[in-house]
Amino acid sequence: MAIEILTNEEFEYMKKSGDILKEVFRECKKFIKPGITTLDVDKLAYDIIRSHDAIPSFLNYGEPPFPGSVCASVNEEVVHGIPSKKRVLKDGDIISIDVGATLHGYHSDACRTFLVGDVKPEVRDLVKRTEESFFVGLQYAKIGNRTGDIGSAVQQYCESFGYGVVRELTGHGIGTSLHQDPDVPNYGRAGSGQRLKKGMAICIEPMITLGTHRIELLSDEWTVVTRDNLPAAHYENTVLITEDGPVMTTYEEEN
């Protein structure tokens, strides 16, 4: 798929869809606790997205059609966990909520990993450093740089702590379609990959594990887990490439 070059007006549409995801994460932070189900979180996100006359980008996406409005991935689940009323969050869990919204035909896509109750220090550190690695990579999301510059920075940062960096799953371009070129890996060689140009929009999304980087796909054909069953964290924002540097549509400072 060709890489879209968006206008400033289209960037404004991207920001509006991103604002919806900011609200989803604000409410998730208050809502997520031991005893709720991943389906409860899915309903919360769906209701917020629809209240803005937007469309959940993930619902019925792909083949087989994804049945949720969010990917709710718990502990060893790296990505694409299917929301379920049977999956009850427990004290000490972590849960990655990956969510997309489409407004006026423009997508935004983002993820946060939330702590559920009292989480082990080494898992807390994994979540914190996965988020930090995003911002390490973000520094390279500038006109003239390449996707490999972002991936190399993320990889070096995460591997300095002994973490695994998932290879098979990457960030991506975004705009009038949810997933498009270019791929934005979380590993690789600086100076390689697609050159970034004004008007591009990309998703940077480190998927980082406490153990091996190796993963496998479950029989539901969606959920991806770590092969060693150790926890994984995921952090993502939609990023606009502008003359003034990268602009995140889905991020706001926490109070």
Side-chain angles (χ1 to χ4, degrees), residues 28 32-33 36-39 41-42 70-75 77-78 81 83 87-90 92-98 111-116 119 123 127 232-234:
C28 280
I32 289 173
K33 61 183 183 295
I36 68 167
T37 71
T38 56
L39 190 62
V41 183
D42 186 77
V70 304
C71 299
S73 307
V74 181
N75 297 336
E77 296 171 352
V78 182
R87 190 64 185 265
V88 180
L89 297 180
K90 306 185 304 296
D93 285 343
I94 59 173
I95 180 170
S96 297
I97 301 299
D98 191 359
C111 183
R112 301 288 185 269
T113 300
F114 295 92
L115 308 177
V116 184
V119 175
V123 180
V127 173
H234 183 191

Side-chain angles (χ1 to χ4, degrees), residues 37-43 45 58-61 64-89 94-100 110-113 169 205 207 215-226 232-234 236:
T37 71
T38 56
L39 190 62
D40 294 331
V41 183
D42 186 77
K43 183 178 186 305
F58 295 0
L59 187 59
N60 297 318
Y61 179 86
F66 190 77
S69 297
V70 304
C71 299
S73 307
V74 181
N75 297 336
E76 76 282 358
E77 296 171 352
V78 182
V79 289
H80 304 159
I82 296 174
S84 170
K85 64 182 179 182
K86 296 180 181 178
R87 190 64 185 265
V88 180
L89 297 180
I94 59 173
I95 180 170
S96 297
I97 301 299
D98 191 359
V99 58
C111 183
R112 301 288 185 269
T113 300
L169 303 161
E205 52 177 315
M207 290 157 273
I215 57 174
E216 55 188 37
L217 180 66
L218 297 186
S219 60
D220 64 18
E221 299 185 65
W222 276 108
T223 308
V224 175
V225 299
T226 56
H234 183 191
E236 175 186 16

